[in-house]
Amino acid sequence: RYGTVTGVQTCALPISGSGDSMTERIVVGVDGGGTKTDVCVVTETGAVRAFVSGGGSNWESVGLAGAGECLHGLIEMALRQL
């Protein structure tokens, strides 16, 4: 299920825990710039579930393809931590 909360796209994903599978709503936040990009995954209540950093994702610096690759890779890496 998808919904918009104050302009933020949200979704419910299955999360693997200590053996039992559960569903938890999460938000993925991205702070992308010319020299570094941070990706943070939090729950609806604000609990940080994952955080990763990587290289720059500013499309003017790395191009559209480079920005897309950076964002895709970091978001995928963060979601794998769940």
Side-chain angles (χ1 to χ4, degrees), residues 4-75:
T4 302
V5 179
T6 61
V8 176
Q9 189 71 26
T10 64
C11 66
L13 295 176
I15 306 295
S16 297
S18 58
D20 292 333
S21 183
M22 60 183 193
T23 299
E24 183 174 40
R25 292 182 65 84
I26 61 167
V27 176
V28 177
V30 177
D31 178 10
T35 59
K36 74 173 181 69
T37 302
D38 295 330
V39 174
C40 188
V41 180
V42 298
T43 65
E44 283 183 297
T45 61
V48 176
R49 296 293 306 264
F51 182 86
V52 295
S53 290
S57 61
N58 182 315
W59 71 271
E60 291 179 326
S61 301
V62 298
L64 288 176
E69 289 172 14
C70 178
L71 294 171
H72 181 267
L74 289 173
I75 292 169

